[in-house]
Amino acid sequence: MPESISFSAPRGMRDFYPDDMAVRNTIFDAWAVAARRFGFEQYDACVVESLELLKRKGGEEIQDQIYWFKDKSDRELALRAEMTPTLARMIVAKQNELTFPIKWFTMAQCFRYERMTRGRKREHYQWNLDIVGEPSALAEAEVVMAAVDALKQLGLGSNDVRVHVNSRAVLSDLLAKLGIPRDHHAATFLALDKRGKISDEEIAKLLTGAGLPQNSIDATFKILSLTTLESVMEALGERTPALEHFLSFFDLMKLYGAGDSVIFDISVIRGLGYYTGIVFEGFDTGKSLRAIFGGGRYDNLLGDLGGKPMTAVGLGFGDVVIAELLAEKAKLPHPSAQKDLAISYMEDAQRDTAIRAAKALRDGGANVDIALHPEKPKHFFARTGKVGFRRGIYIGPDDMTKGTIRIKNLADRTEQEVTLSSLGI
Ligand code: HAM
């Protein structure tokens, strides 16, 4: 191999050694169980998309992060940065055949050329849950509750993670009340989403660029200082349909017994342009990490792509931040938790018996690792102890004479003697 080849994965890309896979599988299992428990069907799609589908107008950061290339026929292609455009494409392609509302989930590998910070890599897996064709706030509630369920399976409750919720539709009503025309709202949201990342002066410049006069900009910043739903209701002065929808979401969360998991947070805007209604992000309660998941209602995307207009709600929940939080809380799975039974033998003469025992035990449902060559007992017990097997069988000449094998519980050192004949050997 030439000297210049590096043995690390390209910057931001990820290798999964077996211990990393144990973590990834634990997270994927929680996602899949929660999705099925909430009645979502699984789908998947190609990782490579046409660049055209992913290109959107407007100042979304994600647009500059797309990995794209030309194939040998000069087609402009890209690695997907998120699943939502692909989901929309798949639905539009079969819009006349599908029965709505649909509830679909996937666990998709996504690529973004991001600045690497804690919790952000250039490759990540993202659990997506989407409900398409349902306008009621129960759609938002079901999606958020499924995420809460996945967190619970991973050992995290409302003391660990909170879902911060806002509504772009309510914000829109507030902005309209201030006299800001609705066609300026999308640009306003994208500018406001940058709050905390760039200075308020720079945001004000972006808003000026979007056509807002200074007094509207001042009023917009005032809206962002509202901290309670009551103050929003007061500022709005009327119960608009958007506000009713928003309030019914909170009522539903209480009905599910998850009122403690959600909090109103006017600063949640989201950086993607397509959201139109409720938007939410899951954060660790200390807010020391980036968002664990995020999503919301996007009622215009299907229509904007050329399909029949249709309402939609969904979320994306990545594997990176949650793994950091689980590590912080010492809730990561122990890799050895998956290692069941190891069989070994002293001499070649016991090998065939070991193979037959392995077959019988595997047929009975055990996960059995057989030694590929004879070894000394000292070596066997040192090796299995280090790896963390739950049970071990070591076969020596005496066992053959007696016609038995001993299944040792490697944690408490107790033994169970089994006759070879009972295993059909
Ligand atoms: P997003 O907020 O861009 O939303 O990403 C969702 C989640 O994916 C984030 O909260 C984070 O957990 C994870 N994530 C995103 N980028 C990275 C990265 N570079 N490294 C590690 N993790 C990352 C969306 O993508 C929307 N399409 C979600 C959605 C589905 N909305 C409706 N349906």
Side-chain angles (χ1 to χ4, degrees):
M1 204 176 272
E3 260 177 50
S4 59
I5 287 196
S6 156
F7 294 104
S8 316
R11 189 166 158 75
M13 301 296 168
R14 302 158 78 195
D15 293 324
F16 290 86
Y17 285 85
D19 286 358
D20 308 313
M21 271 319 281
V23 173
R24 183 170 126 187
N25 284 336
T26 301
I27 295 169
F28 276 38
D29 287 351
W31 287 346
V33 167
R36 296 209 173 89
R37 198 173 270 167
F38 280 74
F40 287 78
E41 290 177 286
Q42 191 165 10
Y43 72 102
D44 204 354
C46 44
V47 179
V48 174
E49 267 297 355
S50 77
L51 181 60
E52 195 52 37
L53 177 78
L54 307 187
K55 269 202 220 154
R56 292 189 291 263
K57 296 182 283 324
E60 290 175 303
E61 202 177 24
I62 201 169
Q63 293 294 300
D64 302 324
Q65 298 172 337
I66 296 174
Y67 279 89
W68 70 276
F69 58 97
K70 281 189 182 174
D71 74 1
K72 290 182 181 169
S73 304
D74 244 13
R75 290 184 195 93
E76 289 190 335
L77 299 173
L79 299 180
R80 63 173 171 231
E82 54 163 341
M83 199 62 173
T84 312
T86 299
L87 171 72
R89 172 181 66 68
M90 286 171 69
I91 288 175
V92 171
K94 293 199 184 236
Q95 216 166 358
N96 292 329
E97 294 156 53
L98 294 166
T99 309
F100 295 94
I102 59 155
K103 295 168 65 182
W104 285 2
F105 83 97
T106 193
M107 297 181 287
Q109 193 178 18
C110 299
F111 298 87
R112 298 184 187 183
Y113 193 82
E114 289 220 44
R115 206 168 57 78
M116 300 262 291
T117 54
R118 191 169 177 213
R120 283 292 173 272
K121 297 192 182 287
R122 293 187 175 159
E123 174 203 345
H124 73 281
Y125 285 88
Q126 206 189 89
W127 179 38
N128 275 240
L129 278 178
D130 289 271
I131 300 182
V132 179
E134 178 51 59
S136 141
L138 187 49
E140 279 96 330
E142 280 279 294
V143 162
V144 170
M145 281 310 298
V148 169
D149 185 282
L151 289 167
K152 194 167 155 209
Q153 289 177 62
L154 294 168
L156 302 172
S158 58
N159 286 335
D160 308 297
V161 177
R162 294 270 158 75
V163 190
H164 294 236
V165 193
N166 194 9
S167 164
R168 282 194 184 187
V170 171
L171 276 185
S172 248
D173 288 345
L174 283 167
L175 293 174
K177 204 166 181 267
L178 295 173
I180 302 171
R182 290 201 180 255
D183 51 350
H184 285 333
H185 294 186
T188 308
F189 294 145
L190 289 181
L192 294 180
D193 179 62
K194 300 202 163 59
R195 210 159 187 222
K197 295 172 207 152
I198 59 174
S199 69
D200 280 2
E201 292 74 52
E202 283 170 284
I203 290 175
K205 267 191 215 145
L206 289 173
L207 292 173
T208 309
L212 267 66
Q214 189 56 43
N215 59 345
S216 300
I217 295 173
D218 296 341
T220 303
F221 279 114
K222 266 205 197 104
I223 292 179
L224 289 189
S225 64
L226 300 174
T227 51
T228 62
L229 258 178
E230 290 68 33
S231 56
V232 167
M233 285 161 76
E234 203 177 302
L236 204 51
E238 57 175 322
R239 287 177 84 102
T240 62
L243 180 66
E244 293 290 356
H245 185 96
F246 198 31
L247 295 175
S248 82
F249 168 79
F250 284 101
D251 288 343
L252 286 165
M253 293 305 288
K254 278 190 210 125
L255 190 61
Y256 278 113
D260 286 353
S261 291
V262 284
I263 44 172
F264 166 67
D265 183 348
I266 200 131
S267 73
V268 172
I269 311 275
R270 308 271 299 136
L272 295 161
Y274 46 66
Y275 294 111
T276 54
I278 289 183
V279 278
F280 53 83
E281 276 175 339
F283 284 101
D284 62 293
T285 39
K287 255 196 148 187
S288 67
L289 300 170
R290 298 189 59 158
I292 301 166
F293 60 85
R297 180 168 283 280
Y298 53 104
D299 283 347
N300 298 335
L301 186 62
L302 270 76
D304 288 349
L305 278 181
K308 273 187 278 183
M310 210 170 241
T311 65
V313 173
L315 68 75
F317 184 145
D319 66 329
V320 180
V321 183
I322 188 66
E324 294 229 10
L325 183 60
L326 291 172
E328 223 177 80
K329 305 240 168 207
K331 293 199 169 176
L332 280 180
H334 196 275
S336 64
Q338 294 169 338
K339 299 257 166 39
D340 183 5
L341 202 159
I343 297 189
S344 190
Y345 42 94
M346 195 177 286
E347 300 152 348
D348 279 330
Q350 295 98 45
R351 192 196 69 163
D352 291 2
T353 303
I355 292 172
R356 289 195 190 96
K359 180 179 183 315
L361 291 160
R362 284 172 180 154
D363 288 350
N367 296 334
V368 181
D369 176 81
I370 188 166
L372 301 173
H373 51 251
E375 66 188 326
K376 294 208 164 69
K378 202 171 112 197
H379 183 256
F380 172 68
F381 287 109
R383 172 171 74 80
T384 49
K386 193 166 148 210
V387 175
F389 278 95
R390 274 196 289 270
R391 299 179 291 166
I393 297 173
Y394 185 80
I395 308 176
D398 296 351
D399 299 301
M400 302 289 282
T401 320
K402 268 178 82 181
T404 59
I405 54 172
R406 284 160 294 134
I407 305 178
K408 196 165 196 157
N409 180 324
L410 295 172
D412 62 15
R413 302 269 143 188
T414 54
E415 272 185 1
Q416 179 202 357
E417 201 167 73
V418 178
T419 60
L420 290 174
S421 58
S422 71
L423 291 173
I425 299 170

